[in-house]
Amino acid sequence: MRGFMEEDPQAGPTGASSMAAPGPPWRRILVIAICAAGLGIAIWLSPLRALLDPESAAAWLRSIGSSWWAPLAFLAIYLLFSLGFIPVLPLAVAATLIWGWFLGGAIELAVATIAALPPYLIARSTASGWVESRLRARFGVNYDRVRIRATSTLFLLRLLPLLPFSAVNYLAGLAAIRPLPYVVATLLGMIPSVFVFTYFVDAVASGGLSMGQASARVVVAGLALAALFVAARIVAAKLHMRRTQGS
């Protein structure tokens, strides 16, 4: 599978010489970095510091799980973790143990989609314009193909979470993926992985599966999802080729 930064073999000589890309927006990056550092220090010096530990945050969520506002607290902590590159896996486990595999999976899916937006918007507002101008200068008329590949790569990374959740959010913003495709690829891509994970967590917690059995089945499910994605890409490529040849 081609990466989204791979140059199309049909690309012509359109390069940086035909389009002058502006320099990186260092001032904007510096302002956002200072604001992020200030917010991090404020949280570190506040009582919220205890919630920065994933295990502590998960335990606290489980202690308030019966409260009506527990999903809102779950969203707030998930947002904080997503912005700060803190692992969200313990939160996913907590959601399953609190609400069960189906409702917990649905809540996590909605919360993860919402929490994926702020990092994406921060990265997009910071340097995506510069990245997009560089890509346009490099790929010229083939830029739209590169952008489509970026979106399909995002879908794959949501389907198979090979990179940390927070990293994918920021990288997607820098890759100049449009907001609507970003939300759609994030939501649809996470559906299988979220519910597969919550189902197996629930099965282990209820004693239906051992940890080893669940791990093996998660691997099998991941391979099946990867095969499904590759098959879909092959079919889409063949359909696109036929439309191109027909026209």
Side-chain angles (χ1 to χ4, degrees):
M1 181 182 303
R2 294 177 178 173
F4 66 85
M5 296 296 291
E6 180 181 352
E7 185 170 3
D8 194 286
Q10 297 178 356
T14 50
S17 59
S18 60
M19 296 180 62
W26 295 118
R27 182 178 300 178
R28 187 181 305 172
I29 294 174
L30 180 61
V31 169
I32 291 179
I34 292 174
C35 292
L39 179 61
I41 293 173
I43 292 175
W44 186 260
L45 296 177
S46 74
L48 292 175
R49 173 182 175 180
L51 294 180
L52 294 179
D53 176 63
E55 299 298 334
S56 299
W60 181 75
L61 284 171
R62 292 180 63 184
S63 70
I64 63 160
S66 59
S67 304
W68 65 267
W69 49 273
L72 297 178
F74 182 67
L75 171 61
I77 296 176
Y78 213 107
L79 278 168
L80 182 62
F81 281 26
S82 178
L83 287 169
F85 290 91
I86 302 174
V88 297
L89 188 62
L91 302 184
V93 174
T96 306
L97 297 178
I98 294 170
W99 297 295
W101 78 268
F102 184 77
L103 181 58
I107 292 175
E108 186 197 351
L109 180 63
V111 165
T113 303
I114 296 172
L117 283 172
Y120 161 80
L121 293 174
I122 290 173
R124 181 175 171 80
S125 64
T126 302
S128 70
W130 173 72
V131 173
E132 183 171 352
S133 65
R134 300 280 297 185
L135 291 175
R136 287 186 181 277
R138 175 171 174 77
F139 295 102
V141 296
N142 295 297
Y143 168 73
D144 286 337
R145 297 183 188 178
V146 174
R147 187 158 48 84
I148 292 173
R149 288 175 182 169
T151 305
S152 64
T153 301
L154 169 66
F155 178 80
L156 174 61
L157 291 175
R158 297 303 193 191
L159 186 66
L160 299 172
L162 303 175
L163 294 178
F165 179 74
S166 299
V168 174
N169 298 335
Y170 284 108
L171 289 174
L174 292 176
I177 299 175
R178 298 291 186 259
L180 182 58
Y182 173 77
V183 173
V184 172
T186 294
L187 176 62
L188 297 182
M190 288 193 302
I191 288 175
S193 59
V194 164
F195 283 103
V196 166
F197 179 79
T198 56
Y199 175 79
F200 285 122
V201 169
D202 185 68
V204 171
S206 62
L209 292 175
S210 67
M211 184 64 70
Q213 291 173 326
S215 299
R217 295 186 185 187
V218 166
V219 171
V220 172
L223 293 175
L225 292 175
L228 178 63
F229 177 83
V230 171
R233 285 293 301 268
I234 292 174
V235 171
K238 289 183 177 180
L239 291 175
H240 177 72
M241 185 178 300
R242 289 178 182 177
R243 287 195 299 266
T244 304
Q245 292 174 349
S247 61

